Amino acid sequence: DVELVNLFTVFAACVIRDARLFAMAQQESDGWTSLMAIGRTRTDAEIGELGGGGMGQKIDSSTPSSGPSNNLNYDNTSESNTTSNPILPSSHKMEGSMLHRDLSEVTYEQAQKFLDMNPSKDNVDKLATYDFNIHRFRDGLDADPDELVALIFRMFADLGLITALKLEPVRLMKFILGIRLRYRNVPYHSFFHAFDVTQTMYTMLVCSGLHKKLPPHELLAAIIAAIVHDVDHRGLNNSFHLKAETPMGILTNLTGQKAVLEVHHATIAVELLGSLNIFKSLSQEQRTETYKLIIDAVLATDMAGHKEHCETFEAELAAKGGADLDDPVHRRLLVLMLLKSADISNITKSFDI
């Protein structure tokens, strides 16, 4: 009888453990993994008005940023969408659940409102510096998080990518907003982190002069990879997904991959880029190379492969006595290492107390 009781106790403990694991996996799968709400809570009326604040003026191309100059002269009438979609929540206004987000297509009018945003001169001036303070936006103190969207668009413009690659502004803005909507309100891997990494990537490209040396479509891939590198992150790492056998973990494992999240981020990015036909003006060769570089860079952010990437990079540099920007292999490795550096760069920046 004692053995039977002990056996039952062990069995019950296993059932409870498995039930908890299943509940955690199911909770994660459904998107209920937010541990905290970042920023202040806004009313439904404020959310319905697209966040308000700072709208009503065109991006002023005469206001210089510390990045490369570019004359913003474009026509936003090439695409129109009059579908009604009044709710476009910002990351800081959302709960962690996917159920709190409207993932329908961003309309032409919504994209245009963000194109009409005029970022503050202070933020524009610091855009290509290591002094840009993302915490002002994250903490909802004296900065409007909606302005981050306009600043990302500004990076594309200042790098000359809109004119060089004939990117349609409204289409590009729809992509930026679509990615923002797909970032969850988790404690760290949110849209604020995505912007921080993108702004750091932009700063490194500008300050090093690489923005003048990389082909435009590779420069485009570097910025896009930074924006999307953690999209739809659920706040749990690859190890959890694999060990808890979440749906994402099972799917990725069965394909022979271990980078559960990175594969997921890249998949969402490719899907949205394709659905919006962002690269419609690129040649087939450029389009293929751009997709490959974005995917490679996002997959490289998996820290499980960090040692291998560093060794490959160092070996290539040693073999040729330095970086050869005429070598596409070197350029690819450089973009990968830049994104990996930007991804973990925040702790190196000044932090006001």
Side-chain angles (χ1 to χ4, degrees), residues 89-108:
S90 305
S91 295
H92 71 299
K93 305 169 196 169
M94 295 185 285
E95 299 297 332
S97 171
M98 290 283 285
L99 301 178
H100 288 265
R101 288 185 290 175
D102 180 3
L103 294 184
S104 60
E105 182 184 3
V106 178
T107 68
Y108 173 89

Side-chain angles (χ1 to χ4, degrees), residues 35-96:
L35 301 180
M36 58 182 284
I38 300 175
R40 69 184 181 89
T41 301
R42 295 193 180 185
T43 66
D44 291 340
E46 287 179 302
I47 293 175
E49 292 174 358
L50 262 65
M55 298 181 183
Q57 292 181 322
K58 291 280 185 183
I59 294 177
D60 184 3
S61 59
S62 64
T63 301
S65 70
S66 30
S69 62
N70 184 62
N71 185 14
L72 297 183
N73 182 17
Y74 50 75
D75 178 11
N76 290 329
T77 61
S78 59
E79 181 182 343
S80 179
N81 185 342
T82 57
T83 305
S84 176
N85 179 12
I87 298 179
L88 186 62
S90 305
S91 295
H92 71 299
K93 305 169 196 169
M94 295 185 285
E95 299 297 332

Side-chain angles (χ1 to χ4, degrees), residues 261-275:
L261 292 166
E262 290 72 25
V263 169
H264 182 63
H265 305 324
T267 300
I268 291 179
V270 168
E271 180 183 15
L272 188 57
L273 287 165
S275 66

Side-chain angles (χ1 to χ4, degrees), residues 208-269:
S208 66
L210 283 171
H211 68 292
K212 297 179 180 178
K213 299 176 182 178
L214 292 179
H217 69 285
E218 293 182 6
L219 199 59
L220 176 67
I223 295 296
I224 289 179
I227 297 170
V228 306
H229 82 282
D230 271 331
V231 65
D232 198 37
H233 199 295
R234 285 95 187 280
L236 301 165
N237 61 22
N238 288 337
S239 179
F240 175 88
H241 285 285
L242 292 171
K243 292 179 180 179
E245 295 188 320
T246 67
M248 274 174 47
I250 294 171
L251 176 62
T252 310
N253 198 32
L254 288 177
T255 62
Q257 287 279 346
K258 299 297 182 184
V260 180
L261 292 166
E262 290 72 25
V263 169
H264 182 63
H265 305 324
T267 300
I268 291 179

Side-chain angles (χ1 to χ4, degrees), residues 179 195 200 274:
I179 287 296
F195 179 89
T200 304

